[in-house]
Amino acid sequence: MPDSSVIDLAGTPGSPGQAAGPARVVHGPDDFARVRPGDVLVCRFTEPTWTALFGVVSAVVTETGGVLSHAAIVAREHGIPAVLAVPGAMAALPDGVTITVDGGAGRVTG
C-alpha cells in the first residue's frame, strides 16, 4: 500500500528552478503576516497586492494561472521557482510541511 503522506503534485511550470521550504497556505492579505523568509507560498492566485511576498518566499505554488499570470511573471522577476494550476494545492499541502518546488518540471513534492 502506498504511503499516503508522500506529496507529489503536478502543475504548469511558471518559473524555473528548485527550492524547498515549509508550505505557507495563504488565503488572502489577512494571512500575509504569517509568511516567513524561506516559506513556500501556497495560494489560489496572486495579484499586485501580493507582490511584496515574492521578496520573502523561496517559491510559489498556485491553484490557478499560467505562464502569463501575475504569479509566474513576478516569480521570474524575483528568480524564484513557481508551479501554477495545481488543482487542490491549498488542501493537499498542509501548512508548515516541508515541500520541494521544481518550477522547470512543474512538480511539487514532499
Side-chain angles (χ1 to χ4, degrees):
M1 177 175 246
D3 180 359
S4 63
S5 66
V6 173
I7 295 168
D8 188 4
L9 304 174
T12 301
S15 180
Q18 290 186 351
R24 192 61 56 219
V25 178
V26 176
H27 296 278
D30 288 345
D31 292 335
F32 286 6
R34 296 179 43 248
V35 177
R36 299 288 176 251
D39 284 352
V40 175
L41 175 61
V42 179
C43 57
R44 195 160 326 286
F45 63 90
T46 69
E47 59 187 359
T49 308
W50 298 60
T51 301
L53 296 178
F54 287 75
V56 176
V57 299
S58 63
V60 178
V61 177
T62 67
E63 290 187 336
T64 64
V67 296
L68 296 178
S69 68
H70 178 267
I73 292 167
V74 179
R76 287 191 298 267
E77 288 174 354
H78 284 269
I80 60 173
V83 178
L84 315 165
V86 179
M90 293 175 70
L93 300 171
D95 200 64
V97 69
T98 299
I99 58 174
T100 299
V101 177
D102 184 334
R107 305 294 297 183
V108 180
T109 57

